[in-house]
Amino acid sequence: MIYTGYDFYIHKSSGIHLVSLQILALIAGVIFESRRISNKWTTSVFIGILSFLFIFFLGYFLCSIVDESNCSLAFILNRSLVFWPFIFFVFYVIYSRIFNERNITPKLTEGITLFLSIAMIYWVVDNGFINFDNIISQTLMVIGISFSLFSFFHAFTKTHLTDRNKFILSIWSSIIMMFFAIDNLNSIYENRNTANSDDILQGVYVTVQYFLLGISSIYMIQNFMMLIGFLPRWKRFFNSRYFEEFRELKDEHIDRYSDQQVPLIHSLICIVLIGTVFFLNYYYQTVPKQFLIWISFVIFPFIISIYNYLIGKKNYAYLLLFFLFMSCQNKYEKIEKINPENIKLNEVVSDLTSEQIEKIKNIHEIFAEVDKSSLEQTITDFKRDRHPENEIKIWMQMAEAYKGYLSKNKKNLEEKREVFKLILSRSMMSTEEAIKNSNLKYLSKKEAQEVLSFYNDAPQPLTVE
C-alpha cells in the first residue's frame, strides 16, 4: 500500500508510473501464494524489506562509483523502486527453493496428468497444428499423442503405478506445465500495453492474467528445475556425479506422484467437465485459450479436492457435485464423539490377496518401532475391515508421509511416536484439527505442520456401524 501510494504521488507529479500495473499484479500474486506456502504474511514482508534494502544500497554503491551529479537520494530511491519488484521475485524464489521446497513441489495424480493432457490436446486443436505437414512437427505430434494416450490409459484403468510409470507421467506433466508457462508468458507479453489503454475490462483481464502468473510462477520454476536437472552440465557430463544426481532427481519425480489411483468416475467427470469447457470456448472463442487453461489450472484442483473428499462417503458416491456441496454441512453434523471403550471390534469379514498382504507387511515394517502390534495381529485387523483395500491405501499414504518426514529429519523414538500419532490423526481429520487434538509434547507447531505437509490425502473420519 505504501508502494502504491508513492507511485501515485510520482504519477501525479511526473505523469509516469514507476512500475506498470501488470508488474504490480504479478507481485501481488507472488505475495498471495507466499502467504499460502509459509502460512504467514511476515515472510513476504521480510523478503520485501530485504530485497528493497539490497537494491537500494546496490544503487547507492554504483552511484558512488560513477560519481554522477544526478545521483541524488530521490533518484536512487526511484530507480530502486523500479527494479525492486524483480529483485523481490528473485529473492522470493531463492527463499522458496531453500526453505519451502517440499511445499512448492507440485503433487501429482493420474487425474491431474489427465487434465494436463486434455488441455494440451485442446491447445493443439485450437491453434490448428493438427494440419501440420512438417516432419518435425508431425514427430512431436506423435510423441505428444503417445504420452497423452499413456496418461488416458492410466486414468481409465487400474494398471499398477510402477515407479517407471510414475516417472514417465511426472515428466510428461512437467513438460506440459513448462510448455504452457512459455506460451502464457508470450501471450502476456503481446498484451503488455493493454493495461495502459482506456479499455477498463481489458485492463482487468490482463491484470488477472498477471496475478495468476504470480501465483503459479514458483511452480513453473520448480517444474523447470525438475526438467533441466536431467541435462548434462560442466563437470557433470555423463559421469558418476551426473548419474547420481539423475537418480536423485528421478526419485523426486517418483515421490511426488501419488500411489493412489483415480477412480473411473473421477476420470469421466474430468473429461466431461473440462472437455465441455474447452470445446465451448473453442467453438465460441469467448476468452483466449491461454487464460482459460491457466484459470482452469487454479480452479480444477480445488474442484477435484472437494469432490474427492465428498466422494469418500458411499452414500454420496453418485450424487451431482451441487448436491455434494449442499450435503457437506449435514455430514459434519452427524459426526459424534464415541468412548473408545464402547467400540467392539468386528469379526473377520474380508479375505486378503497376496498382494494386499505384501503391502501390509511393508506397512508393518515401517511402523514397527512405534507400533508394537505383531504382523499377525496387523493382518487380522485389516481382515476386520469391510473394505480393506481402502484402508490399506490410507495406511500406505501414512507410511509414505512417515518415511518422507523422517528421511529429512532425525528424531528419537519418542518424537517418532508423536510423528506417527500426528499422521494417524491427520488421516481422519484436517491438519488444524490433527495438531490441536494431538497434545504435542515433543514437536513444535512448525514441526507438526512440516510433518503433515507430507500427507496430502483427504481425511477419512472413523465410522462406526
Side-chain angles (χ1 to χ4, degrees), residues 367-384:
F367 290 126
E369 59 183 346
V370 292
D371 183 359
K372 296 305 180 182
S373 301
S374 66
L375 176 60
E376 292 74 15
Q377 182 61 48
T378 303
I379 293 175
T380 302
D381 288 340
F382 277 100
K383 287 182 177 180
R384 298 182 193 277

Side-chain angles (χ1 to χ4, degrees), residues 446-458:
K446 184 177 180 181
E447 288 176 319
Q449 289 173 339
E450 183 183 355
V451 170
L452 299 184
S453 70
F454 287 79
Y455 190 94
N456 303 304
D457 281 8

Side-chain angles (χ1 to χ4, degrees), residues 16 46 90 108 123 130 140 175 204 222 238 240 242 246 249 272 278 292 360 377 407 412 415 436 457:
I16 61 173
F46 173 76
V90 172
L108 297 176
W123 188 92
I130 56 177
L140 293 175
I175 291 174
V204 171
Q222 184 69 359
F238 296 108
S240 58
Y242 166 79
F246 183 96
L249 188 56
V272 171
F278 287 159
L292 181 63
I360 295 172
Q377 182 61 48
S407 66
N412 60 38
E415 291 171 326
K436 181 179 178 181
D457 281 8

Side-chain angles (χ1 to χ4, degrees), residues 292-420:
L292 181 63
I293 289 172
W294 278 102
I295 199 70
S296 299
F297 282 169
V298 175
I299 295 175
F300 183 70
F302 289 103
I303 295 175
I304 288 296
S305 297
I306 294 172
Y307 184 82
N308 280 345
Y309 174 73
L310 298 173
I311 207 71
K313 299 298 183 182
K314 293 184 296 181
N315 295 338
Y316 298 93
Y318 300 103
L319 296 181
L320 296 175
L321 189 59
F322 171 79
F323 293 105
L324 287 169
F325 274 102
M326 297 300 293
S327 304
C328 185
Q329 183 176 357
N330 293 332
K331 287 166 56 183
Y332 280 114
E333 292 174 350
K334 294 178 182 178
I335 296 178
E336 300 178 0
K337 293 184 178 180
I338 300 175
N339 187 343
E341 297 181 357
N342 295 332
I343 298 177
K344 297 181 180 180
L345 295 177
N346 288 340
E347 299 295 330
V348 173
V349 294
S350 301
D351 293 325
L352 300 175
T353 65
S354 58
E355 182 180 357
Q356 289 174 328
I357 291 177
E358 286 301 317
K359 291 179 180 179
I360 295 172
K361 287 181 179 179
N362 185 41
I363 293 169
H364 180 267
E365 181 180 353
I366 292 172
F367 290 126
E369 59 183 346
V370 292
D371 183 359
K372 296 305 180 182
S373 301
S374 66
L375 176 60
E376 292 74 15
Q377 182 61 48
T378 303
I379 293 175
T380 302
D381 288 340
F382 277 100
K383 287 182 177 180
R384 298 182 193 277
D385 199 288
R386 295 185 183 277
H387 307 282
E389 182 62 29
N390 294 337
E391 194 68 16
I392 290 173
K393 287 181 179 179
I394 294 173
W395 279 84
M396 287 183 66
Q397 171 65 11
M398 289 169 53
E400 184 179 342
Y402 182 82
K403 287 195 306 179
Y405 175 75
L406 293 180
S407 66
K408 299 180 180 293
N409 300 274
K410 300 299 181 183
K411 298 294 180 182
N412 60 38
L413 183 58
E414 291 299 325
E415 291 171 326
K416 289 181 179 179
R417 286 173 179 161
E418 196 158 85
V419 169
F420 169 69

